[in-house]
Amino acid sequence: MSGIRFDGKVAIITGAGGGLGRSHALLLASRGAKVVVNDLGGATDGTGAGATMAEKVCAEIKAAGGQAVPDYHSVLEGEAIVKTALEAFGTLDILVNNAGILRDVSFLKQSEQDWKLVLDVHLFGSRSVTKAAFPVMREKGYGRIVMTTSAAGLYGNFGQTNYSAAKMGIVGLANTLKFEGAKYNIKVNTIAPIAGSRLTAQVMPPQLLEALKPEFVSPLVAYLCSEVCSESGMIFSVGGGYFSRVAYFEGEGVFLGTEKPISIEDVQARLPQIKDLGKAVEPTQAVDQTMKIVKLMKLA
Ligand code: NAI
């Protein structure tokens, strides 16, 4: 098959026993990637474990003529997952951090366990597998990493403080990894998907679940995993045939000077300008903020 291929490339897709991860794994394998289908095989709330989910997806890949091995470790055991890839296929080129769980509950009712487990799987799990994958990618001077955030993190969603915090943690992780990976040709991008899955079955009506197929998300993920991808540090909103970049902007703001004390009322009076995004620009690194202020203060 012509077009973008993954022949000779080894990919780990976490949480690939169903939903979006399964769809990413099937697509990458159909274009020649050797895939580690990782899935703990538990319930949507993070309880339990089992081998069946990962094995089923591997069987599907093999039936279609592709190559895959199952891996049943939790994403918190990143070293073990990467070891599966190295033992089965000898290297690692692609990592899609996709595994996830939900423990939705309003903040006042949230237990420590509800908070911790969601942070563990999404944020600590993404970090754990990436931490193990990064040295392999650095060594070979090639890597493609895709993180999975959520609109709930980017914009907020009632009852999901744990999930939102974890998902924005992932954005922060990717924001800085893009710099640390740059000189090794490791590209790190993030998707905020929407798709029908067993996770969204809890909150979406059946008609929407059926229409928002995971297969509409995977082509973007596969592009971000490909050699031709030159983007890094980007966030994309994707689902149901829709694709868009998401970014943060900082407004022009106001400079009140530092010669005389700034009162609380000064801040109140200037809020419309402080909040105005009419002349907003997109900062590309943390130091952009410092430099803007240093220039306004005429220190540089
Ligand atoms: P899903 O429940 O079908 O897939 C998640 C998979 O992760 C499951 O197969 C589960 O067994 C696995 N998993 C859970 N904990 C694990 C662990 N500790 N180690 C390894 N595997 C584990 O749900 P879906 O929707 O496909 O979710 C995939 C990702 O996309 C998640 O990160 C989710 O938060 C994210 N997402 C999904 C949205 C959607 O509309 N479906 C919206 C926004 C984000």
PDB file of all heavy atoms in Angstrom, residues 14-21 38-42 44 53 73-76 98-101 121-122 148-151 163 167 193-200 204, ligand 1:
ATOM      1  N   THR A  14      -1.074   2.250  24.710  1.00  0.00           N
ATOM      2  CA  THR A  14      -1.583   1.848  26.026  1.00  0.00           C
ATOM      3  C   THR A  14      -3.119   1.896  26.017  1.00  0.00           C
ATOM      4  O   THR A  14      -3.718   2.698  25.300  1.00  0.00           O
ATOM      5  CB  THR A  14      -1.025   2.743  27.162  1.00  0.00           C
ATOM      6  OG1 THR A  14      -1.604   4.046  27.076  1.00  0.00           O
ATOM      7  CG2 THR A  14       0.490   2.829  27.110  1.00  0.00           C
ATOM      8  N   GLY A  15      -3.699   1.020  26.815  1.00  0.00           N
ATOM      9  CA  GLY A  15      -5.162   0.961  26.879  1.00  0.00           C
ATOM     10  C   GLY A  15      -5.762   0.623  25.524  1.00  0.00           C
ATOM     11  O   GLY A  15      -6.809   1.155  25.149  1.00  0.00           O
ATOM     12  N   ALA A  16      -5.096  -0.264  24.785  1.00  0.00           N
ATOM     13  CA  ALA A  16      -5.520  -0.558  23.402  1.00  0.00           C
ATOM     14  C   ALA A  16      -6.456  -1.762  23.314  1.00  0.00           C
ATOM     15  O   ALA A  16      -6.719  -2.254  22.229  1.00  0.00           O
ATOM     16  CB  ALA A  16      -4.293  -0.774  22.519  1.00  0.00           C
ATOM     17  N   GLY A  17      -6.974  -2.201  24.458  1.00  0.00           N
ATOM     18  CA  GLY A  17      -7.874  -3.345  24.451  1.00  0.00           C
ATOM     19  C   GLY A  17      -9.291  -3.004  24.021  1.00  0.00           C
ATOM     20  O   GLY A  17     -10.141  -3.889  23.888  1.00  0.00           O
ATOM     21  N   GLY A  18      -9.573  -1.741  23.801  1.00  0.00           N
ATOM     22  CA  GLY A  18     -10.915  -1.330  23.389  1.00  0.00           C
ATOM     23  C   GLY A  18     -10.912   0.122  22.981  1.00  0.00           C
ATOM     24  O   GLY A  18      -9.855   0.774  22.982  1.00  0.00           O
ATOM     25  N   GLY A  19     -12.070   0.641  22.623  1.00  0.00           N
ATOM     26  CA  GLY A  19     -12.256   2.067  22.355  1.00  0.00           C
ATOM     27  C   GLY A  19     -11.235   2.670  21.407  1.00  0.00           C
ATOM     28  O   GLY A  19     -10.886   2.086  20.375  1.00  0.00           O
ATOM     29  N   LEU A  20     -10.742   3.844  21.780  1.00  0.00           N
ATOM     30  CA  LEU A  20      -9.809   4.580  20.915  1.00  0.00           C
ATOM     31  C   LEU A  20      -8.493   3.845  20.712  1.00  0.00           C
ATOM     32  O   LEU A  20      -7.952   3.813  19.605  1.00  0.00           O
ATOM     33  CB  LEU A  20      -9.539   5.962  21.538  1.00  0.00           C
ATOM     34  CG  LEU A  20     -10.691   6.970  21.380  1.00  0.00           C
ATOM     35  CD1 LEU A  20     -10.555   8.101  22.404  1.00  0.00           C
ATOM     36  CD2 LEU A  20     -10.719   7.535  19.970  1.00  0.00           C
ATOM     37  N   GLY A  21      -7.966   3.257  21.797  1.00  0.00           N
ATOM     38  CA  GLY A  21      -6.662   2.597  21.699  1.00  0.00           C
ATOM     39  C   GLY A  21      -6.685   1.444  20.703  1.00  0.00           C
ATOM     40  O   GLY A  21      -5.759   1.268  19.905  1.00  0.00           O
ATOM     41  N   ASN A  38      -1.142  -2.820  24.715  1.00  0.00           N
ATOM     42  CA  ASN A  38      -1.155  -2.829  26.183  1.00  0.00           C
ATOM     43  C   ASN A  38      -2.569  -2.615  26.691  1.00  0.00           C
ATOM     44  O   ASN A  38      -3.265  -1.715  26.208  1.00  0.00           O
ATOM     45  CB  ASN A  38      -0.239  -1.724  26.738  1.00  0.00           C
ATOM     46  CG  ASN A  38      -0.594  -1.372  28.177  1.00  0.00           C
ATOM     47  OD1 ASN A  38      -1.369  -0.450  28.441  1.00  0.00           O
ATOM     48  ND2 ASN A  38      -0.078  -2.143  29.109  1.00  0.00           N
ATOM     49  N   ASP A  39      -2.991  -3.417  27.641  1.00  0.00           N
ATOM     50  CA  ASP A  39      -4.246  -3.119  28.354  1.00  0.00           C
ATOM     51  C   ASP A  39      -4.298  -3.931  29.637  1.00  0.00           C
ATOM     52  O   ASP A  39      -4.082  -5.136  29.633  1.00  0.00           O
ATOM     53  CB  ASP A  39      -5.478  -3.432  27.494  1.00  0.00           C
ATOM     54  CG  ASP A  39      -6.679  -2.604  27.922  1.00  0.00           C
ATOM     55  OD1 ASP A  39      -7.220  -2.851  29.031  1.00  0.00           O
ATOM     56  OD2 ASP A  39      -7.059  -1.668  27.185  1.00  0.00           O
ATOM     57  N   LEU A  40      -4.592  -3.229  30.698  1.00  0.00           N
ATOM     58  CA  LEU A  40      -4.711  -3.884  32.002  1.00  0.00           C
ATOM     59  C   LEU A  40      -5.954  -4.765  32.038  1.00  0.00           C
ATOM     60  O   LEU A  40      -6.004  -5.749  32.783  1.00  0.00           O
ATOM     61  CB  LEU A  40      -4.787  -2.805  33.097  1.00  0.00           C
ATOM     62  CG  LEU A  40      -4.859  -3.256  34.545  1.00  0.00           C
ATOM     63  CD1 LEU A  40      -3.608  -4.034  34.951  1.00  0.00           C
ATOM     64  CD2 LEU A  40      -5.023  -2.046  35.472  1.00  0.00           C
ATOM     65  N   GLY A  41      -6.958  -4.390  31.263  1.00  0.00           N
ATOM     66  CA  GLY A  41      -8.154  -5.231  31.146  1.00  0.00           C
ATOM     67  C   GLY A  41      -9.123  -5.133  32.309  1.00  0.00           C
ATOM     68  O   GLY A  41      -9.912  -6.041  32.532  1.00  0.00           O
ATOM     69  N   GLY A  42      -9.083  -4.014  33.031  1.00  0.00           N
ATOM     70  CA  GLY A  42      -9.988  -3.844  34.167  1.00  0.00           C
ATOM     71  C   GLY A  42     -11.280  -3.137  33.779  1.00  0.00           C
ATOM     72  O   GLY A  42     -11.594  -2.982  32.592  1.00  0.00           O
ATOM     73  N   THR A  44     -14.036   0.253  33.955  1.00  0.00           N
ATOM     74  CA  THR A  44     -13.850   1.681  33.641  1.00  0.00           C
ATOM     75  C   THR A  44     -13.430   2.504  34.870  1.00  0.00           C
ATOM     76  O   THR A  44     -12.896   3.592  34.723  1.00  0.00           O
ATOM     77  CB  THR A  44     -15.147   2.305  33.083  1.00  0.00           C
ATOM     78  OG1 THR A  44     -16.207   2.015  33.993  1.00  0.00           O
ATOM     79  CG2 THR A  44     -15.476   1.753  31.719  1.00  0.00           C
ATOM     80  N   MET A  53      -8.889  -8.550  26.874  1.00  0.00           N
ATOM     81  CA  MET A  53      -9.054  -7.386  25.993  1.00  0.00           C
ATOM     82  C   MET A  53      -7.858  -7.224  25.062  1.00  0.00           C
ATOM     83  O   MET A  53      -8.010  -7.081  23.847  1.00  0.00           O
ATOM     84  CB  MET A  53      -9.252  -6.116  26.834  1.00  0.00           C
ATOM     85  CG  MET A  53     -10.590  -6.063  27.538  1.00  0.00           C
ATOM     86  SD  MET A  53     -10.736  -4.621  28.604  1.00  0.00           S
ATOM     87  CE  MET A  53     -11.005  -3.328  27.406  1.00  0.00           C
ATOM     88  N   HIS A  73       0.399  -5.174  31.567  1.00  0.00           N
ATOM     89  CA  HIS A  73       0.829  -4.369  32.715  1.00  0.00           C
ATOM     90  C   HIS A  73      -0.009  -3.101  32.837  1.00  0.00           C
ATOM     91  O   HIS A  73      -0.505  -2.568  31.847  1.00  0.00           O
ATOM     92  CB  HIS A  73       2.294  -3.957  32.563  1.00  0.00           C
ATOM     93  CG  HIS A  73       3.238  -5.107  32.641  1.00  0.00           C
ATOM     94  ND1 HIS A  73       3.754  -5.710  31.523  1.00  0.00           N
ATOM     95  CD2 HIS A  73       3.740  -5.773  33.708  1.00  0.00           C
ATOM     96  CE1 HIS A  73       4.554  -6.699  31.893  1.00  0.00           C
ATOM     97  NE2 HIS A  73       4.564  -6.768  33.213  1.00  0.00           N
ATOM     98  N   SER A  74      -0.088  -2.604  34.059  1.00  0.00           N
ATOM     99  CA  SER A  74      -0.671  -1.279  34.248  1.00  0.00           C
ATOM    100  C   SER A  74       0.309  -0.254  33.684  1.00  0.00           C
ATOM    101  O   SER A  74       1.533  -0.468  33.698  1.00  0.00           O
ATOM    102  CB  SER A  74      -0.875  -0.992  35.737  1.00  0.00           C
ATOM    103  OG  SER A  74      -1.137   0.388  35.910  1.00  0.00           O
ATOM    104  N   VAL A  75      -0.219   0.860  33.205  1.00  0.00           N
ATOM    105  CA  VAL A  75       0.642   1.929  32.680  1.00  0.00           C
ATOM    106  C   VAL A  75       1.582   2.485  33.760  1.00  0.00           C
ATOM    107  O   VAL A  75       2.537   3.188  33.441  1.00  0.00           O
ATOM    108  CB  VAL A  75      -0.166   3.074  32.045  1.00  0.00           C
ATOM    109  CG1 VAL A  75      -0.601   2.709  30.642  1.00  0.00           C
ATOM    110  CG2 VAL A  75      -1.363   3.479  32.890  1.00  0.00           C
ATOM    111  N   LEU A  76       1.299   2.159  35.002  1.00  0.00           N
ATOM    112  CA  LEU A  76       2.209   2.605  36.063  1.00  0.00           C
ATOM    113  C   LEU A  76       3.512   1.809  36.033  1.00  0.00           C
ATOM    114  O   LEU A  76       4.484   2.181  36.687  1.00  0.00           O
ATOM    115  CB  LEU A  76       1.533   2.481  37.431  1.00  0.00           C
ATOM    116  CG  LEU A  76       0.437   3.529  37.627  1.00  0.00           C
ATOM    117  CD1 LEU A  76      -0.515   3.147  38.731  1.00  0.00           C
ATOM    118  CD2 LEU A  76       1.065   4.897  37.910  1.00  0.00           C
ATOM    119  N   ASN A  98      -2.675   6.346  25.979  1.00  0.00           N
ATOM    120  CA  ASN A  98      -4.124   6.416  25.756  1.00  0.00           C
ATOM    121  C   ASN A  98      -4.938   5.832  26.909  1.00  0.00           C
ATOM    122  O   ASN A  98      -6.100   6.185  27.079  1.00  0.00           O
ATOM    123  CB  ASN A  98      -4.439   5.675  24.442  1.00  0.00           C
ATOM    124  CG  ASN A  98      -5.898   5.341  24.297  1.00  0.00           C
ATOM    125  OD1 ASN A  98      -6.699   6.176  23.886  1.00  0.00           O
ATOM    126  ND2 ASN A  98      -6.284   4.104  24.638  1.00  0.00           N
ATOM    127  N   ALA A  99      -4.327   4.964  27.710  1.00  0.00           N
ATOM    128  CA  ALA A  99      -5.093   4.271  28.768  1.00  0.00           C
ATOM    129  C   ALA A  99      -5.796   5.276  29.675  1.00  0.00           C
ATOM    130  O   ALA A  99      -5.256   6.351  29.961  1.00  0.00           O
ATOM    131  CB  ALA A  99      -4.157   3.400  29.601  1.00  0.00           C
ATOM    132  N   GLY A 100      -6.976   4.911  30.115  1.00  0.00           N
ATOM    133  CA  GLY A 100      -7.687   5.842  30.994  1.00  0.00           C
ATOM    134  C   GLY A 100      -8.836   5.197  31.730  1.00  0.00           C
ATOM    135  O   GLY A 100      -9.352   4.152  31.330  1.00  0.00           O
ATOM    136  N   ILE A 101      -9.204   5.844  32.820  1.00  0.00           N
ATOM    137  CA  ILE A 101     -10.354   5.409  33.623  1.00  0.00           C
ATOM    138  C   ILE A 101     -11.133   6.653  34.038  1.00  0.00           C
ATOM    139  O   ILE A 101     -10.643   7.781  33.882  1.00  0.00           O
ATOM    140  CB  ILE A 101      -9.919   4.646  34.894  1.00  0.00           C
ATOM    141  CG1 ILE A 101      -9.019   5.538  35.783  1.00  0.00           C
ATOM    142  CG2 ILE A 101      -9.198   3.350  34.545  1.00  0.00           C
ATOM    143  CD1 ILE A 101      -8.852   5.004  37.199  1.00  0.00           C
ATOM    144  N   VAL A 121      -3.482   6.720  36.927  1.00  0.00           N
ATOM    145  CA  VAL A 121      -3.589   6.083  35.607  1.00  0.00           C
ATOM    146  C   VAL A 121      -3.266   7.097  34.497  1.00  0.00           C
ATOM    147  O   VAL A 121      -2.447   6.818  33.616  1.00  0.00           O
ATOM    148  CB  VAL A 121      -4.984   5.456  35.396  1.00  0.00           C
ATOM    149  CG1 VAL A 121      -5.129   4.945  33.956  1.00  0.00           C
ATOM    150  CG2 VAL A 121      -5.205   4.323  36.389  1.00  0.00           C
ATOM    151  N   HIS A 122      -3.870   8.261  34.554  1.00  0.00           N
ATOM    152  CA  HIS A 122      -3.695   9.207  33.438  1.00  0.00           C
ATOM    153  C   HIS A 122      -2.330   9.898  33.491  1.00  0.00           C
ATOM    154  O   HIS A 122      -1.556   9.832  32.528  1.00  0.00           O
ATOM    155  CB  HIS A 122      -4.805  10.259  33.449  1.00  0.00           C
ATOM    156  CG  HIS A 122      -6.138   9.705  33.073  1.00  0.00           C
ATOM    157  ND1 HIS A 122      -6.526   9.514  31.781  1.00  0.00           N
ATOM    158  CD2 HIS A 122      -7.163   9.269  33.845  1.00  0.00           C
ATOM    159  CE1 HIS A 122      -7.745   8.992  31.747  1.00  0.00           C
ATOM    160  NE2 HIS A 122      -8.150   8.838  32.999  1.00  0.00           N
ATOM    161  N   THR A 148      -2.869  11.760  25.439  1.00  0.00           N
ATOM    162  CA  THR A 148      -4.323  11.911  25.306  1.00  0.00           C
ATOM    163  C   THR A 148      -4.857  12.764  26.453  1.00  0.00           C
ATOM    164  O   THR A 148      -4.845  12.350  27.612  1.00  0.00           O
ATOM    165  CB  THR A 148      -5.024  10.537  25.314  1.00  0.00           C
ATOM    166  OG1 THR A 148      -4.394   9.700  24.329  1.00  0.00           O
ATOM    167  CG2 THR A 148      -6.491  10.679  24.971  1.00  0.00           C
ATOM    168  N   THR A 149      -5.291  13.970  26.114  1.00  0.00           N
ATOM    169  CA  THR A 149      -5.927  14.831  27.110  1.00  0.00           C
ATOM    170  C   THR A 149      -7.441  14.782  26.884  1.00  0.00           C
ATOM    171  O   THR A 149      -7.952  13.833  26.275  1.00  0.00           O
ATOM    172  CB  THR A 149      -5.367  16.268  27.057  1.00  0.00           C
ATOM    173  OG1 THR A 149      -5.936  17.030  28.138  1.00  0.00           O
ATOM    174  CG2 THR A 149      -5.654  16.978  25.746  1.00  0.00           C
ATOM    175  N   SER A 150      -8.141  15.770  27.348  1.00  0.00           N
ATOM    176  CA  SER A 150      -9.595  15.769  27.222  1.00  0.00           C
ATOM    177  C   SER A 150     -10.125  17.191  27.314  1.00  0.00           C
ATOM    178  O   SER A 150      -9.528  18.035  28.003  1.00  0.00           O
ATOM    179  CB  SER A 150     -10.185  14.946  28.370  1.00  0.00           C
ATOM    180  OG  SER A 150     -11.567  15.192  28.475  1.00  0.00           O
ATOM    181  N   ALA A 151     -11.256  17.430  26.676  1.00  0.00           N
ATOM    182  CA  ALA A 151     -11.909  18.735  26.809  1.00  0.00           C
ATOM    183  C   ALA A 151     -12.229  19.008  28.284  1.00  0.00           C
ATOM    184  O   ALA A 151     -12.251  20.166  28.712  1.00  0.00           O
ATOM    185  CB  ALA A 151     -13.181  18.770  25.972  1.00  0.00           C
ATOM    186  N   TYR A 163     -10.165  13.930  36.990  1.00  0.00           N
ATOM    187  CA  TYR A 163      -9.876  13.680  35.577  1.00  0.00           C
ATOM    188  C   TYR A 163      -9.336  14.953  34.904  1.00  0.00           C
ATOM    189  O   TYR A 163      -8.357  14.901  34.151  1.00  0.00           O
ATOM    190  CB  TYR A 163     -11.177  13.209  34.928  1.00  0.00           C
ATOM    191  CG  TYR A 163     -11.099  12.793  33.492  1.00  0.00           C
ATOM    192  CD1 TYR A 163     -10.410  11.653  33.091  1.00  0.00           C
ATOM    193  CD2 TYR A 163     -11.771  13.533  32.503  1.00  0.00           C
ATOM    194  CE1 TYR A 163     -10.387  11.257  31.758  1.00  0.00           C
ATOM    195  CE2 TYR A 163     -11.756  13.144  31.182  1.00  0.00           C
ATOM    196  CZ  TYR A 163     -11.054  12.006  30.808  1.00  0.00           C
ATOM    197  OH  TYR A 163     -11.044  11.623  29.493  1.00  0.00           O
ATOM    198  N   LYS A 167      -5.699  15.309  33.269  1.00  0.00           N
ATOM    199  CA  LYS A 167      -5.589  15.558  31.831  1.00  0.00           C
ATOM    200  C   LYS A 167      -4.814  16.848  31.542  1.00  0.00           C
ATOM    201  O   LYS A 167      -4.150  16.954  30.503  1.00  0.00           O
ATOM    202  CB  LYS A 167      -6.982  15.597  31.194  1.00  0.00           C
ATOM    203  CG  LYS A 167      -7.648  14.219  31.086  1.00  0.00           C
ATOM    204  CD  LYS A 167      -6.773  13.217  30.324  1.00  0.00           C
ATOM    205  CE  LYS A 167      -7.531  12.024  29.769  1.00  0.00           C
ATOM    206  NZ  LYS A 167      -6.630  11.002  29.201  1.00  0.00           N
ATOM    207  N   PRO A 193      -9.608  13.932  22.273  1.00  0.00           N
ATOM    208  CA  PRO A 193     -10.553  13.257  21.371  1.00  0.00           C
ATOM    209  C   PRO A 193     -11.982  13.293  21.878  1.00  0.00           C
ATOM    210  O   PRO A 193     -12.241  13.614  23.035  1.00  0.00           O
ATOM    211  CB  PRO A 193     -10.033  11.814  21.399  1.00  0.00           C
ATOM    212  CG  PRO A 193      -9.522  11.649  22.796  1.00  0.00           C
ATOM    213  CD  PRO A 193      -8.995  13.005  23.224  1.00  0.00           C
ATOM    214  N   ILE A 194     -12.893  12.954  20.983  1.00  0.00           N
ATOM    215  CA  ILE A 194     -14.244  12.615  21.414  1.00  0.00           C
ATOM    216  C   ILE A 194     -14.706  11.426  20.579  1.00  0.00           C
ATOM    217  O   ILE A 194     -14.551  11.431  19.362  1.00  0.00           O
ATOM    218  CB  ILE A 194     -15.225  13.808  21.354  1.00  0.00           C
ATOM    219  CG1 ILE A 194     -16.616  13.354  21.800  1.00  0.00           C
ATOM    220  CG2 ILE A 194     -15.290  14.451  19.984  1.00  0.00           C
ATOM    221  CD1 ILE A 194     -17.353  14.361  22.598  1.00  0.00           C
ATOM    222  N   ALA A 195     -15.172  10.402  21.273  1.00  0.00           N
ATOM    223  CA  ALA A 195     -15.562   9.183  20.568  1.00  0.00           C
ATOM    224  C   ALA A 195     -16.469   8.334  21.447  1.00  0.00           C
ATOM    225  O   ALA A 195     -16.378   8.386  22.676  1.00  0.00           O
ATOM    226  CB  ALA A 195     -14.314   8.366  20.220  1.00  0.00           C
ATOM    227  N   GLY A 196     -17.293   7.558  20.803  1.00  0.00           N
ATOM    228  CA  GLY A 196     -18.106   6.587  21.524  1.00  0.00           C
ATOM    229  C   GLY A 196     -17.212   5.467  22.038  1.00  0.00           C
ATOM    230  O   GLY A 196     -16.403   4.930  21.285  1.00  0.00           O
ATOM    231  N   SER A 197     -17.298   5.163  23.314  1.00  0.00           N
ATOM    232  CA  SER A 197     -16.498   4.082  23.906  1.00  0.00           C
ATOM    233  C   SER A 197     -17.191   3.660  25.189  1.00  0.00           C
ATOM    234  O   SER A 197     -18.182   4.271  25.593  1.00  0.00           O
ATOM    235  CB  SER A 197     -15.078   4.570  24.226  1.00  0.00           C
ATOM    236  OG  SER A 197     -15.110   5.413  25.364  1.00  0.00           O
ATOM    237  N   ARG A 198     -16.627   2.666  25.866  1.00  0.00           N
ATOM    238  CA  ARG A 198     -17.283   2.254  27.122  1.00  0.00           C
ATOM    239  C   ARG A 198     -17.188   3.367  28.172  1.00  0.00           C
ATOM    240  O   ARG A 198     -18.016   3.441  29.069  1.00  0.00           O
ATOM    241  CB  ARG A 198     -16.683   0.951  27.642  1.00  0.00           C
ATOM    242  CG  ARG A 198     -15.232   1.075  28.049  1.00  0.00           C
ATOM    243  CD  ARG A 198     -14.682  -0.223  28.597  1.00  0.00           C
ATOM    244  NE  ARG A 198     -13.522   0.069  29.438  1.00  0.00           N
ATOM    245  CZ  ARG A 198     -12.942  -0.807  30.231  1.00  0.00           C
ATOM    246  NH1 ARG A 198     -13.395  -2.038  30.302  1.00  0.00           N
ATOM    247  NH2 ARG A 198     -11.896  -0.460  30.953  1.00  0.00           N
ATOM    248  N   LEU A 199     -16.171   4.252  28.036  1.00  0.00           N
ATOM    249  CA  LEU A 199     -16.074   5.388  28.973  1.00  0.00           C
ATOM    250  C   LEU A 199     -17.207   6.374  28.727  1.00  0.00           C
ATOM    251  O   LEU A 199     -17.886   6.805  29.652  1.00  0.00           O
ATOM    252  CB  LEU A 199     -14.738   6.126  28.799  1.00  0.00           C
ATOM    253  CG  LEU A 199     -13.490   5.612  29.497  1.00  0.00           C
ATOM    254  CD1 LEU A 199     -12.376   6.652  29.404  1.00  0.00           C
ATOM    255  CD2 LEU A 199     -13.738   5.253  30.957  1.00  0.00           C
ATOM    256  N   THR A 200     -17.406   6.734  27.443  1.00  0.00           N
ATOM    257  CA  THR A 200     -18.427   7.742  27.141  1.00  0.00           C
ATOM    258  C   THR A 200     -19.833   7.150  27.157  1.00  0.00           C
ATOM    259  O   THR A 200     -20.811   7.892  27.178  1.00  0.00           O
ATOM    260  CB  THR A 200     -18.133   8.439  25.796  1.00  0.00           C
ATOM    261  OG1 THR A 200     -17.674   7.469  24.862  1.00  0.00           O
ATOM    262  CG2 THR A 200     -17.097   9.518  25.954  1.00  0.00           C
ATOM    263  N   MET A 204     -23.049   9.548  27.268  1.00  0.00           N
ATOM    264  CA  MET A 204     -23.577   9.939  25.948  1.00  0.00           C
ATOM    265  C   MET A 204     -24.787   9.096  25.568  1.00  0.00           C
ATOM    266  O   MET A 204     -24.829   7.900  25.863  1.00  0.00           O
ATOM    267  CB  MET A 204     -22.518   9.697  24.867  1.00  0.00           C
ATOM    268  CG  MET A 204     -21.533  10.797  24.677  1.00  0.00           C
ATOM    269  SD  MET A 204     -20.500  10.309  23.254  1.00  0.00           S
ATOM    270  CE  MET A 204     -19.101  11.353  23.544  1.00  0.00           C
TER     271      MET A 204
HETATM  272  P1  NAI B   1     -11.864   2.897  27.001  1.00  0.00           P
HETATM  273  O1  NAI B   1     -12.317   2.589  28.383  1.00  0.00           O
HETATM  274  O2  NAI B   1     -12.510   2.142  25.897  1.00  0.00           O
HETATM  275  O3  NAI B   1     -10.297   2.722  26.863  1.00  0.00           O
HETATM  276  C1  NAI B   1      -9.397   2.897  27.910  1.00  0.00           C
HETATM  277  C2  NAI B   1      -8.598   1.623  28.054  1.00  0.00           C
HETATM  278  O4  NAI B   1      -7.567   1.833  29.025  1.00  0.00           O
HETATM  279  C3  NAI B   1      -9.435   0.452  28.534  1.00  0.00           C
HETATM  280  O5  NAI B   1      -9.362  -0.601  27.604  1.00  0.00           O
HETATM  281  C4  NAI B   1      -8.832   0.093  29.879  1.00  0.00           C
HETATM  282  O6  NAI B   1      -8.845  -1.300  30.153  1.00  0.00           O
HETATM  283  C5  NAI B   1      -7.431   0.620  29.744  1.00  0.00           C
HETATM  284  N1  NAI B   1      -6.793   0.909  31.030  1.00  0.00           N
HETATM  285  C6  NAI B   1      -7.352   1.482  32.117  1.00  0.00           C
HETATM  286  N2  NAI B   1      -6.472   1.562  33.116  1.00  0.00           N
HETATM  287  C7  NAI B   1      -5.322   1.040  32.653  1.00  0.00           C
HETATM  288  C8  NAI B   1      -4.021   0.872  33.213  1.00  0.00           C
HETATM  289  N3  NAI B   1      -3.764   1.243  34.473  1.00  0.00           N
HETATM  290  N4  NAI B   1      -3.062   0.316  32.456  1.00  0.00           N
HETATM  291  C9  NAI B   1      -3.328  -0.085  31.180  1.00  0.00           C
HETATM  292  N5  NAI B   1      -4.531   0.045  30.607  1.00  0.00           N
HETATM  293  C10 NAI B   1      -5.515   0.604  31.334  1.00  0.00           C
HETATM  294  O7  NAI B   1     -12.095   4.466  26.794  1.00  0.00           O
HETATM  295  P2  NAI B   1     -11.713   5.456  25.590  1.00  0.00           P
HETATM  296  O8  NAI B   1     -12.822   6.402  25.474  1.00  0.00           O
HETATM  297  O9  NAI B   1     -11.277   4.720  24.398  1.00  0.00           O
HETATM  298  O10 NAI B   1     -10.483   6.270  26.236  1.00  0.00           O
HETATM  299  C11 NAI B   1      -9.194   6.328  25.703  1.00  0.00           C
HETATM  300  C12 NAI B   1      -8.534   7.597  26.171  1.00  0.00           C
HETATM  301  O11 NAI B   1      -9.161   8.724  25.582  1.00  0.00           O
HETATM  302  C13 NAI B   1      -8.576   7.819  27.682  1.00  0.00           C
HETATM  303  O12 NAI B   1      -7.366   8.386  28.111  1.00  0.00           O
HETATM  304  C14 NAI B   1      -9.698   8.826  27.834  1.00  0.00           C
HETATM  305  O13 NAI B   1      -9.576   9.577  29.011  1.00  0.00           O
HETATM  306  C15 NAI B   1      -9.487   9.660  26.586  1.00  0.00           C
HETATM  307  N6  NAI B   1     -10.639  10.427  26.186  1.00  0.00           N
HETATM  308  C16 NAI B   1     -11.712   9.809  25.620  1.00  0.00           C
HETATM  309  C17 NAI B   1     -12.800  10.563  25.228  1.00  0.00           C
HETATM  310  C18 NAI B   1     -13.928   9.949  24.519  1.00  0.00           C
HETATM  311  O14 NAI B   1     -14.818  10.722  24.068  1.00  0.00           O
HETATM  312  N7  NAI B   1     -13.982   8.632  24.364  1.00  0.00           N
HETATM  313  C19 NAI B   1     -12.872  12.009  25.488  1.00  0.00           C
HETATM  314  C20 NAI B   1     -11.652  12.565  26.027  1.00  0.00           C
HETATM  315  C21 NAI B   1     -10.599  11.789  26.367  1.00  0.00           C
END
